[in-house]
Amino acid sequence: MIKNIVQQYIFEQLMHFRDGNRCCQKFSGSFRSTERAILAEYAFKLGYNSRHIVHNGIEFLKVYKKHCLHYMEHTPELRLTAHTEKELFILLRESDFIGSQIEMQMSPDFFSPNCARPTIPPHRFSLGLKQSMARQNLIGQKSFQDKCYLQPYKTRLLEAVRRSRVIIVNGDSIFEKSTGIPMYIIENCAERRAHCKIICVEREQLLAIHNSEKLSEHLGEKVGNTVAFQIHLQSRISEGSNLIYTTSSFLLRVLMGQSIVDSFRHISHIIVCDVYRHEAFADLLLCELRAALRCHAHLKVILLSNSLYNLRFLEYFGEGEVLQLENPKTPDMQAAKIFHIEDVQKIVEREKERHHLRLRLPPTSSSSLSLTTSSSAYIYSTNMTQLHNGNFFNVDRILENYELTGTDQALETFLYMVQCENISIDYRHSITGKTAIIIAAKSGNLLHIKTLLEKYADPYIMDKQNLNAISNAIAGGNMMCIELLNSVKNLRNINPSALDYSLVMDLIRVLMISSKWETGNIVIIVADYEQLLRINYWILRSKMIGDIQQQVVIYMLHNNIEKDQLELVVNGTPDCINIVIATDIIESVIPKYQFKYIIDLARSRRNVYNADAGCKEFIFEWVAREALENRARLTSRKGECVSCFRFIPSFHVDKLAKTYIPELVVMPLDRICLTVKLLSPHTMVSEYLQTTICRAPFINVHNSVEFLKKIYVFDELEEVTWLGCRLIDVPIDCQLGKLLVFAILLQCLDPVLTIVSFLSTFDPLELPTEICSNRNYATLGEMRVKVKEERKRLAENILSDHLIYLRLYQEWQNNLRDDNPEMVLVDEPDYVLNGILEKVCDIRTHLVGALRSSQLIHNQGPLSMHYINLKSNSWPMIKATLAAGLYPCICVVDTYEGRLKCNRPKELVIHPASILRELTMEPLSYKARGFPSNWIVYGNEMNSFNLNSAKCCSLVTPLTVAMFAGPPKIDSSNIYMLSNTSNNYLNACSSNIANEKDAMVIFYIDDWIEIKMTPTSAQLVLKTRQYFYSAYMNFLQNCGSIDKWRRTNAFLNSVSRLFDTLERVFALEDQACGFVKPLNIGLRPKAVPNKFITSFNAVISWNEEESLNFMHKYQRDNISKWVEQQQLKKAQVPELKRNGKFVCWEKQFFVVYITQTDLVFRKYSQDWLREAVTKIIEPCLKNDILTFVILYNKNPDQFCMVAVAKKLFGTFRLQEYFKNKIPICEVLKICSMQNICAPAFVEKRNAFQIDALIGNIILDLFAFGTNFQEQK
């Protein structure tokens, strides 16, 4: 009877599994062996595979459907070499850790030595200082209030603070609320002789420092007296400070480990800035403040906003009032005039026709994509056969399959090709000319049409029969499809990923040159740092070639600039045009000068979490309507007529979100979950996040918590581990923080730190894609090939993408170690690469400081930088560190099926950018035949519709996976003897059991990774793992104590033997597998003396005094003398302005023959310069003419550099501008096409002047490269 019930229950469970969406499922570990045999028998009859697994000492039976992503027909094997077994045996025999025990017992002491409960490390900074008496400073307060637009609201503000505990102050940034309100409160408390301690929470560290210095300057004090700041790794504060600027993340860190009662006892006011933006840590802080108000009646909470939707804050706190600040009314007050992208295109075209401006609109410019063009323009708009990556045959077959079946899977396959393989969304079949949207319209699939339109597919492209998608929909009579397709307009303009940089530059030129537009300062608001670099490059290039006026100063403003650079941006430069390229931080910074023009790209780039794919990704998206309105009011404080140019279609503005999207809704939540758990240890993370003002999606919270358990930041009961306590002070993703911990322990920090810094930002060698590029398709394919070749060169025939980052950073450092770096432009990719590498350098520096702050590294002793880099030259050790730190991002190549197998919800493929595959798609089994190992560790994933793409991959040995993958706690119950399998059905469905099964065991590392090996190897690996993880736990608990890490410690000596053995063992296994060993990977990086991007901006900008400081290092007295001489010569200088506009200088060109191909003027003999150019070039120098000197050489015949001739301190100088290799034949070819007579470039002509037409052609080839050739 019982047997029948069990059989019926098992059958029902299998039926549920069959009808469900899961590809595999674990069945209860409470089954007895006979019941598991019945389950295996039924699964075998249904055509399913089953396998016996062991997880945490509990036996399960896992059933797999056909084509399951997680099932491997043949279990991977590990066969240790004899030398490896010998090394491990000697280690364990001599180790005091193992002693005479047969097996190490996994007692609680293993995870928490001495049974110490994980505690949050003490923070060396604290905001909980006692309140001090507010002091009057009448002169300083009057100096500030006279210039503050908030002054008319002073009385109302103080009355609201007196009668309400929660106040929302709503108004534009011109009111300087974050500095004015605390000043008023301090003055009021001083008049009442009362104590006060005000905490002002800014959204960026840079703003906290800037505002504290700004107020201290008004008060005539040093920062740290009345006004102070306290942020991560920096603090200037005293016991008498009344106002402390900080950030929300830092304040939450201080609150950790303290009770609400104690935390806010000495705080009188808390001011939270920019709450309307709903940043994640700010929303968490509001939750803490709401709890604090219940315990402290004296506490005042002031929320600063700039939104029309503030009632939700009052509803959240249950009390309070809103104080609305209205912009000051003046007679000349005018609202900003708004222009959208279609207006910008008309302005540029109109000025081009009216004044014949030399605008640079490439063939793919947005101005040529208006849908008013006749349909014939679309017939050949997408090439049908030119695919430089050789994938056209695959795409043709995919389109044919989609037309034949019309299934979702067929469309997803095509969309994967678009996302990852650089196939145009408008790709036309090489024979029929049909696109995917034509096929979808012909079949009348409305859902597929919507999907393709969301990916910006063009419904107006014609096939070979001159029918487009609309024509096919009409033929099918599907009215809903017809209406949807007819409603589409301006496809390129509504794609936030696609930005036409040439259109941005043409608009800037029109504003600066055209007489219709007044001269004024310009601010350009970009999406992120990469976009900022590209815009900066385009403006620099135009100024250098003389396309815009020389009286221009270019500033960059982003979250990571230095404090001194921010001061330059705020103060500006008088008597010239200030161009500020800024991220959204400009909304909180108030310059001392007025912007005449606002160019709002209306985009943002953020890191979002995709719950369906289970991965993080950086995406571009449109900003909210609220952000557009706030940015248009940046210049409203003086009432001048300003113009705001938005690079978004006007019809699309109404479709944008009204308010800012809360970060908790979209961002990865791993650090948020860790912060929440440390703030409230006795509350479930999901429960806490349901009490915030913006609730995070439950699926995102659940996935993040499970991931933190996987990497052992949380334990199985969702309690914080020692690893989680240490990572809270390391400001990166928890997985990358764990990687740094393993790098410290395995003594290879420097190379891993560089890899982590690259993984924390965007890939500098990322393959360009069609969807976010405005280049034509042929050029894009060539660029992808060049990037791929560069990655191969850096990889040095070693199958690791992580090595590419190390080599790239080393080469960049070698080029910049000179104290006087070469200030020259090569091309746009090189300039952007320099900017990204500077950011990587900043991240490295910041991470080292964070690791010191968290006490993971020390200034001296075994945890000093010297000792934790002893094994930085061991590439096998670095790969082992990557496997340990990046787990669970591990996959294995199934050579029998030609697929990657991993524990992910979607199938995993290798990204085309990886060194492990080619640009052209080919079966993985072909490429994998040359792999020395089938195990791959990868850095991140990218969602590609029905697949996930693994990026930043490296091959590792099986021993590395067996040693470091999985949870720290593994004992002998995870070793399963194959001979124990007694059931026929289990034998039949487990084809991985070899003939020598009696001599093999399965080592279960987690619920997915299992490796077959001999019993001896399994015991050696298991005990070595236990040995290592014991040292790992001891390190996490005791790294904060210097005394416990002295070199004389016996435990450290034994651990040192362990690490030395691991280094030798991994090297032996690498050699046995056939891995190639790279050289000189452990070179210690050096500090960068000068930042190229900032220095180059200073060199090219109109502020020549700063340029001399960067370029020639002259003393200040010499500069002042030179300035005096220039002032005496002003009478001889021609008029710089005409009709209120700065005048573009004329150009003249000289050509000089050189014998060296790589000339650097700073290092070249000045005698040669004087002899070559004094007689010809120097007499022609004028103050209002740009004199370009073009250098060329023979064999090969090429132009190699462009410089500008100047006289500095009466001395003739050449300043490098562009450096590249331009074939002379290319110039001669263009001259022939345009019927221009070109001179002879021969060795006999040392230096001579050339015509301006030829000079401009050469200059354009240097400045614009392939873009210029496309136009020609």
Side-chain angles (χ1 to χ4, degrees):
M1 182 66 182
I2 296 177
K3 182 178 180 181
N4 293 335
I5 294 175
V6 170
Q7 291 180 351
Q8 183 65 26
Y9 172 76
I10 291 174
F11 180 76
E12 291 178 356
Q13 293 297 313
L14 284 174
M15 292 301 102
H16 286 300
F17 170 62
R18 184 193 65 179
D19 298 334
N21 295 325
R22 293 185 179 181
C23 61
C24 56
Q25 181 176 334
K26 285 193 305 184
F27 285 88
S28 176
S30 60
F31 284 159
R32 292 174 294 186
S33 58
T34 55
E35 294 166 349
R36 285 198 295 270
I38 296 173
L39 179 59
E41 178 184 352
Y42 281 7
F44 181 72
K45 291 179 179 179
L46 291 174
Y48 298 156
N49 297 306
S50 62
R51 179 170 293 169
H52 179 276
I53 64 171
V54 178
H55 183 55
N56 292 335
I58 302 175
E59 297 183 4
F60 296 89
L61 192 70
K62 196 167 187 177
V63 179
Y64 306 85
K65 294 180 181 178
K66 290 183 178 180
H67 309 295
C68 176
L69 304 176
H70 313 113
Y71 176 75
M72 290 193 65
E73 188 72 20
H74 299 269
T75 303
E77 290 191 20
L78 168 61
R79 294 186 180 274
L80 298 179
T81 64
H83 292 289
T84 299
E85 290 185 347
K86 180 181 177 181
E87 290 283 352
L88 294 180
F89 180 77
I90 293 175
L91 170 70
L92 299 177
R93 184 187 63 179
E94 296 178 353
S95 171
D96 296 333
F97 179 82
I98 299 297
S100 59
Q101 298 179 10
I102 298 177
E103 176 187 346
M104 189 193 75
Q105 299 298 322
M106 306 298 291
S107 63
D109 289 345
F110 173 79
F111 287 100
S112 186
N114 303 323
C115 297
R117 183 181 179 85
T119 56
I120 306 172
H123 206 276
R124 57 177 178 175
F125 299 146
S126 176
L127 294 170
L129 301 174
K130 292 185 179 180
Q131 296 185 18
S132 56
M133 183 70 69
R135 301 178 298 277
Q136 282 191 338
N137 189 331
L138 298 179
I139 298 177
Q141 291 169 352
K142 186 176 185 302
S143 169
F144 175 80
Q145 295 174 13
D146 288 344
K147 301 178 182 179
C148 184
Y149 285 86
L150 199 60
Q151 187 66 19
Y153 296 91
K154 176 180 178 181
T155 304
R156 292 176 57 188
L157 275 169
L158 294 176
E159 290 178 355
V161 171
R162 179 181 55 81
R163 65 173 174 261
S164 301
R165 294 202 303 164
V166 178
I167 306 98
I168 302 173
V169 182
N170 188 65
D172 289 340
S173 59
I174 61 169
F175 289 103
E176 303 181 63
K177 303 184 291 294
S178 61
T179 52
I181 293 175
M183 283 289 287
Y184 296 152
I185 295 175
I186 293 175
E187 180 184 3
N188 181 260
C189 291
E191 293 174 354
R192 296 186 293 108
R193 302 185 62 81
H195 294 78
C196 72
K197 180 72 68 177
I198 306 171
I199 308 296
C200 187
V201 183
E202 294 283 358
R203 67 186 181 97
E204 296 290 347
Q205 296 186 9
L206 186 66
L207 297 175
I209 298 175
H210 171 69
N211 286 334
S212 63
E213 292 182 344
K214 179 179 177 180
L215 276 185
S216 297
E217 182 181 354
H218 279 289
L219 296 176
E221 301 176 349
K222 292 184 178 180
V223 179
N225 293 335
T226 302
V227 183
F229 72 85
Q230 214 172 7
I231 58 176
H232 190 56
L233 302 181
Q234 297 186 57
S235 177
R236 295 183 66 178
I237 192 172
S238 63
E239 292 185 359
S241 299
N242 298 119
L243 172 60
I244 305 170
Y245 283 92
T246 185
T247 60
S248 55
S249 59
F250 181 83
L251 181 55
L252 290 173
R253 174 64 182 91
V254 174
L255 297 178
M256 293 175 187
Q258 303 183 36
S259 65
I260 293 293
V261 176
D262 296 333
S263 301
F264 297 91
R265 178 173 298 172
H266 302 297
I267 299 175
S268 61
H269 303 76
I270 291 187
I271 303 174
V272 185
C273 303
D274 299 328
V275 292
Y276 65 98
R277 300 178 67 91
H278 287 290
E279 296 185 345
F281 288 107
D283 284 350
L284 294 185
L285 180 60
L286 295 184
C287 186
E288 293 294 307
L289 292 179
R290 186 174 68 167
L293 288 173
R294 302 191 188 104
C295 303
H296 301 281
H298 70 279
L299 183 63
K300 304 287 186 177
V301 176
I302 304 173
L303 308 180
L304 307 185
S305 179
N306 188 11
S307 171
L308 300 176
Y309 309 95
N310 295 309
L311 293 180
R312 64 182 307 180
F313 295 104
L314 296 183
E315 296 173 355
Y316 182 71
F317 283 95
E319 59 179 308
E321 60 179 292
V322 178
L323 177 61
Q324 181 66 42
L325 307 179
E326 301 293 341
N327 287 342
K329 302 296 183 181
T330 58
D332 58 346
M333 175 67 71
Q334 300 182 40
K337 190 173 182 180
I338 306 299
F339 299 89
H340 294 91
I341 191 168
E342 56 267 27
D343 304 316
V344 172
Q345 293 169 357
K346 293 177 182 178
I347 291 171
V348 170
E349 287 294 335
R350 190 182 306 119
E351 293 295 333
K352 180 180 179 181
E353 296 173 359
R354 181 183 303 172
H355 300 289
H356 303 286
L357 294 178
R358 191 166 168 242
L359 302 181
R360 304 184 182 277
L361 289 172
T364 53
S365 173
S366 299
S367 61
S368 63
L369 291 173
S370 175
L371 293 182
T372 57
T373 310
S374 63
S375 60
S376 61
Y378 290 89
I379 295 180
Y380 299 105
S381 63
T382 305
N383 196 295
M384 294 188 296
T385 58
Q386 273 196 338
L387 288 182
H388 288 260
N389 55 10
N391 280 329
F392 68 93
F393 181 70
N394 295 322
V395 186
D396 282 350
R397 290 198 305 173
I398 291 172
L399 286 178
E400 291 168 5
N401 180 52
Y402 177 47
E403 185 174 15
L404 181 63
T405 62
T407 60
D408 295 343
Q409 185 178 3
L411 178 62
E412 289 173 352
T413 304
F414 173 76
L415 293 178
Y416 162 76
M417 299 293 292
V418 173
Q419 182 78 11
C420 283
E421 304 294 337
N422 190 36
I423 301 302
S424 172
I425 190 70
D426 297 323
Y427 175 82
R428 303 174 68 207
H429 191 280
S430 58
I431 298 176
T432 64
K434 293 182 179 179
T435 64
I437 197 168
I438 289 177
I439 297 173
K442 185 177 180 180
S443 62
N445 195 320
L446 187 64
L447 183 60
H448 286 187
I449 294 176
K450 287 182 179 179
T451 302
L452 290 168
L453 291 177
E454 288 173 357
K455 303 302 175 185
Y456 313 108
D458 193 341
Y460 293 89
I461 294 178
M462 302 288 186
D463 61 11
K464 284 294 187 66
Q465 298 178 350
N466 289 336
L467 297 176
N468 58 22
I470 299 177
S471 304
N472 279 276
I474 293 174
N478 193 321
M479 296 304 300
M480 297 183 66
C481 293
I482 297 172
E483 293 177 2
L484 179 61
L485 292 169
N486 282 325
S487 65
V488 176
K489 50 185 176 179
N490 293 342
L491 294 173
R492 293 277 179 177
N493 293 339
I494 63 174
N495 180 7
S497 301
L499 175 64
D500 190 350
Y501 292 96
S502 62
L503 183 61
V504 178
M505 191 63 239
D506 288 340
L507 174 62
I508 295 173
R509 292 196 64 239
V510 167
L511 297 177
M512 296 178 66
I513 296 175
S514 175
S515 59
K516 182 180 178 181
W517 303 90
E518 299 179 5
T519 300
N521 300 316
I522 303 173
V523 59
I524 308 167
I525 308 176
V526 299
D528 68 336
Y529 180 66
E530 183 184 11
Q531 209 170 72
L532 181 146
L533 289 173
R534 297 189 184 278
I535 294 290
N536 188 71
Y537 175 82
W538 278 72
I539 299 176
L540 277 176
R541 182 172 58 182
S542 294
K543 183 181 184 300
M544 291 166 64
I545 65 177
D547 274 2
I548 59 176
Q549 299 92 328
Q550 297 300 302
Q551 294 82 2
V552 171
V553 180
I554 307 169
Y555 297 109
M556 295 190 300
L557 178 59
H558 52 91
N559 302 340
N560 299 318
I561 64 169
E562 300 293 337
K563 178 185 64 175
D564 298 339
Q565 293 298 318
L566 177 61
E567 295 299 326
L568 292 176
V569 174
V570 172
N571 295 324
T573 303
D575 300 325
C576 67
I577 301 174
N578 295 283
I579 300 180
V580 178
I581 314 169
T583 59
D584 60 354
I585 195 175
I586 189 64
E587 299 177 31
S588 304
V589 175
I590 303 178
K592 296 180 180 179
Y593 47 91
Q594 176 77 0
F595 288 122
K596 183 70 176 177
Y597 303 108
I598 304 171
I599 300 178
D600 185 5
L601 302 186
R603 293 159 168 84
S604 65
R605 191 179 189 183
R606 67 166 80 197
N607 189 13
V608 302
Y609 178 75
N610 188 323
D612 295 333
C615 64
K616 310 168 188 176
E617 52 189 352
F618 283 97
I619 64 168
F620 284 96
E621 59 185 11
W622 297 112
V623 298
R625 273 183 281 169
E626 195 172 54
L628 293 177
E629 295 167 0
N630 291 342
R631 293 174 178 183
R633 296 195 299 269
L634 285 177
T635 60
S636 59
R637 66 174 182 268
K638 293 186 178 179
E640 297 183 6
C641 180
V642 298
S643 300
C644 179
F645 302 90
R646 295 173 178 170
F647 274 66
I648 182 175
S650 57
F651 71 87
H652 198 64
V653 173
D654 294 334
K655 300 179 181 179
L656 302 179
K658 290 183 180 180
T659 60
Y660 287 84
I661 299 177
E663 288 187 351
L664 286 176
V665 177
V666 295
M667 71 178 295
L669 299 176
D670 53 347
R671 288 200 62 81
I672 298 297
C673 293
L674 178 59
T675 301
V676 165
K677 199 62 185 178
L678 292 175
L679 284 172
S680 183
H682 305 295
T683 306
M684 301 294 289
V685 173
S686 57
E687 181 182 349
Y688 184 100
L689 290 177
Q690 293 302 307
T691 63
T692 55
I693 188 170
C694 298
R695 299 179 180 180
F698 180 79
I699 183 62
N700 293 9
V701 178
H702 171 76
N703 291 350
S704 298
V705 170
E706 291 301 315
F707 179 76
L708 293 177
K709 291 180 181 178
K710 196 81 172 176
I711 63 176
Y712 207 68
V713 172
F714 290 169
D715 62 16
E716 295 179 356
L717 299 178
E718 204 180 294
E719 297 292 335
V720 180
T721 63
W722 278 108
L723 177 61
C725 292
R726 296 299 178 188
L727 293 184
I728 191 60
D729 290 324
V730 185
I732 52 174
D733 292 345
C734 292
Q735 187 179 24
L736 297 180
K738 175 192 171 188
L739 177 56
L740 291 179
V741 170
F742 276 95
I744 294 171
L745 193 59
L746 294 174
Q747 301 177 342
C748 53
L749 177 63
D750 263 333
V752 175
L753 188 61
T754 301
I755 293 172
V756 167
S757 301
F758 275 99
L759 293 177
S760 300
T761 183
F762 32 80
D763 191 348
L765 294 177
E766 187 174 7
L767 293 177
T769 57
E770 188 268 343
I771 196 170
C772 56
S773 174
N774 60 2
R775 298 180 181 273
N776 66 43
Y777 200 71
T779 304
L780 190 61
E782 294 174 358
M783 290 176 60
R784 287 172 65 89
V785 171
K786 290 181 180 179
V787 172
K788 188 70 174 182
E789 290 175 351
E790 178 67 9
R791 295 180 72 97
K792 289 181 178 180
R793 182 189 68 83
L794 293 170
E796 302 173 354
N797 294 324
I798 294 174
L799 298 174
S800 172
D801 294 322
H802 299 95
L803 181 65
I804 294 175
Y805 296 149
L806 291 179
R807 293 305 191 205
L808 180 63
Y809 192 75
Q810 287 177 353
E811 288 187 2
W812 176 73
Q813 284 233 319
N814 292 335
N815 294 334
L816 292 183
R817 279 181 182 174
D818 192 347
D819 291 338
N820 191 13
E822 186 179 6
M823 294 293 173
V824 62
L825 287 186
V826 177
D827 53 21
E828 183 178 355
D830 180 78
Y831 182 84
V832 175
L833 177 62
N834 272 284
I836 296 176
L837 290 173
E838 286 184 2
K839 182 178 181 180
V840 169
C841 184
D842 291 340
I843 294 174
R844 286 187 91 264
T845 305
H846 188 65
L847 286 178
V848 171
L851 292 173
R852 293 187 187 276
S853 175
S854 59
Q855 299 180 332
L856 287 169
I857 60 177
H858 300 162
N859 292 327
Q860 57 184 359
L863 290 181
S864 63
M865 290 297 291
H866 170 71
Y867 285 97
I868 59 180
N869 281 295
L870 290 177
K871 295 176 172 50
S872 293
N873 268 315
S874 175
W875 180 241
M877 204 67 166
I878 295 173
K879 290 195 298 181
T881 304
L882 293 173
L886 293 177
Y887 171 82
C889 294
I890 294 177
C891 60
V892 62
V893 180
D894 189 343
T895 54
Y896 295 92
E897 295 187 20
R899 302 165 69 185
L900 292 180
K901 297 300 180 71
C902 62
N903 192 17
R904 304 299 296 161
K906 285 188 177 182
E907 184 174 358
L908 198 66
V909 296
I910 299 176
H911 194 271
S914 175
I915 198 66
L916 301 186
R917 59 156 289 186
E918 302 294 335
L919 282 177
T920 305
M921 290 187 65
E922 59 182 12
L924 181 60
S925 56
Y926 294 163
K927 184 72 174 178
R929 291 173 184 173
F931 288 173
S933 172
N934 289 334
W935 291 96
I936 301 175
V937 57
Y938 56 94
N940 47 52
E941 299 177 58
M942 186 180 76
N943 180 33
S944 305
F945 298 98
N946 59 333
L947 305 172
N948 280 2
S949 298
K951 304 178 67 176
C952 196
C953 306
S954 291
L955 290 179
V956 295
T957 60
L959 177 61
T960 301
V961 177
M963 193 69 71
F964 291 134
K969 182 178 180 180
I970 290 182
D971 56 22
S972 60
S973 63
N974 286 51
I975 299 177
Y976 183 78
M977 298 295 297
L978 290 180
S979 58
N980 292 345
T981 305
S982 58
N983 185 270
N984 293 330
Y985 289 102
L986 288 178
N987 287 334
C989 64
S990 299
S991 59
N992 61 316
I993 300 175
N995 294 329
E996 67 273 17
K997 64 181 180 180
D998 293 337
M1000 302 293 285
V1001 299
I1002 298 292
F1003 188 12
Y1004 294 100
I1005 296 176
D1006 61 7
D1007 56 355
W1008 171 73
I1009 300 177
E1010 53 187 48
I1011 301 177
K1012 183 166 62 175
M1013 62 186 76
T1014 63
T1016 302
S1017 299
Q1019 289 296 328
L1020 289 174
V1021 171
L1022 173 64
K1023 292 184 178 181
T1024 307
R1025 274 185 63 106
Q1026 294 173 343
Y1027 193 176
F1028 170 79
Y1029 277 106
S1030 175
Y1032 169 76
M1033 294 298 174
N1034 191 289
F1035 163 72
L1036 289 176
Q1037 180 177 348
N1038 298 318
C1039 62
S1041 175
I1042 299 179
D1043 295 335
K1044 294 184 179 182
W1045 283 92
R1046 292 177 179 172
R1047 294 182 60 187
T1048 57
N1049 193 312
F1051 174 77
L1052 293 181
N1053 293 334
S1054 62
V1055 169
S1056 179
R1057 290 197 303 270
L1058 168 65
F1059 297 153
D1060 292 341
T1061 302
L1062 289 177
E1063 182 182 13
R1064 292 192 297 271
V1065 164
F1066 291 139
L1068 289 171
E1069 290 298 308
D1070 262 33
Q1071 184 179 0
C1073 291
F1075 281 97
V1076 181
K1077 181 181 178 181
L1079 302 176
N1080 300 324
I1081 59 172
L1083 296 177
R1084 293 292 306 276
K1086 296 183 179 181
V1088 179
N1090 291 317
K1091 290 190 174 182
F1092 170 79
I1093 302 298
T1094 305
S1095 303
F1096 199 85
N1097 270 15
V1099 168
I1100 302 302
S1101 293
W1102 180 244
N1103 191 343
E1104 296 193 11
E1105 180 180 348
E1106 292 295 329
S1107 301
L1108 292 175
N1109 283 336
F1110 278 101
M1111 287 294 297
H1112 302 291
K1113 311 290 185 182
Y1114 282 115
Q1115 300 295 329
R1116 289 287 179 181
D1117 54 347
N1118 291 335
I1119 295 175
S1120 61
K1121 292 179 183 178
W1122 181 81
V1123 172
E1124 292 176 1
Q1125 295 174 5
Q1126 291 297 104
Q1127 291 176 349
L1128 294 176
K1129 296 179 182 179
K1130 279 188 176 180
Q1132 305 174 3
V1133 176
E1135 183 184 6
L1136 296 180
K1137 286 189 177 183
R1138 186 182 301 120
N1139 297 327
K1141 305 287 289 188
F1142 287 108
V1143 179
C1144 288
W1145 291 1
E1146 297 181 1
K1147 306 179 215 177
Q1148 59 181 356
F1149 298 88
F1150 293 86
V1151 176
V1152 177
Y1153 170 75
I1154 61 172
T1155 57
Q1156 285 78 5
T1157 57
D1158 295 321
L1159 175 69
V1160 179
F1161 291 116
R1162 295 172 291 106
K1163 300 179 181 179
Y1164 209 83
S1165 171
Q1166 296 298 321
D1167 296 336
W1168 176 89
L1169 282 176
R1170 192 176 299 107
E1171 179 183 351
V1173 301
T1174 300
K1175 295 181 180 179
I1176 298 178
I1177 300 178
E1178 191 170 357
C1180 300
L1181 293 181
K1182 294 183 181 180
N1183 293 329
D1184 59 339
I1185 296 180
L1186 281 174
T1187 303
F1188 291 97
V1189 180
I1190 304 170
L1191 282 77
Y1192 74 97
N1193 52 45
K1194 307 293 286 184
N1195 299 320
D1197 299 352
Q1198 61 185 10
F1199 299 101
C1200 56
M1201 185 173 287
V1202 175
V1204 170
K1206 295 181 179 180
K1207 262 193 175 181
L1208 299 176
F1209 306 109
T1211 304
F1212 179 82
R1213 296 283 182 183
L1214 287 176
Q1215 178 177 307
E1216 310 102 312
Y1217 264 18
F1218 300 100
K1219 184 178 181 180
N1220 213 327
K1221 296 179 180 179
I1222 306 297
I1224 295 179
C1225 63
E1226 184 67 32
V1227 177
L1228 298 178
K1229 179 181 177 182
I1230 296 175
C1231 291
S1232 174
M1233 293 171 59
Q1234 298 185 2
N1235 296 324
I1236 300 175
C1237 182
F1241 298 99
V1242 295
E1243 297 93 331
K1244 295 181 179 180
R1245 307 189 69 178
N1246 196 13
F1248 57 96
Q1249 188 171 6
I1250 61 174
D1251 186 75
L1253 288 175
I1254 303 174
N1256 278 318
I1257 292 174
I1258 300 174
L1259 190 61
D1260 285 346
L1261 284 170
F1262 271 97
F1264 293 89
T1266 55
N1267 285 350
F1268 176 76
Q1269 295 178 37
E1270 290 172 24
Q1271 296 178 67
K1272 297 300 178 185

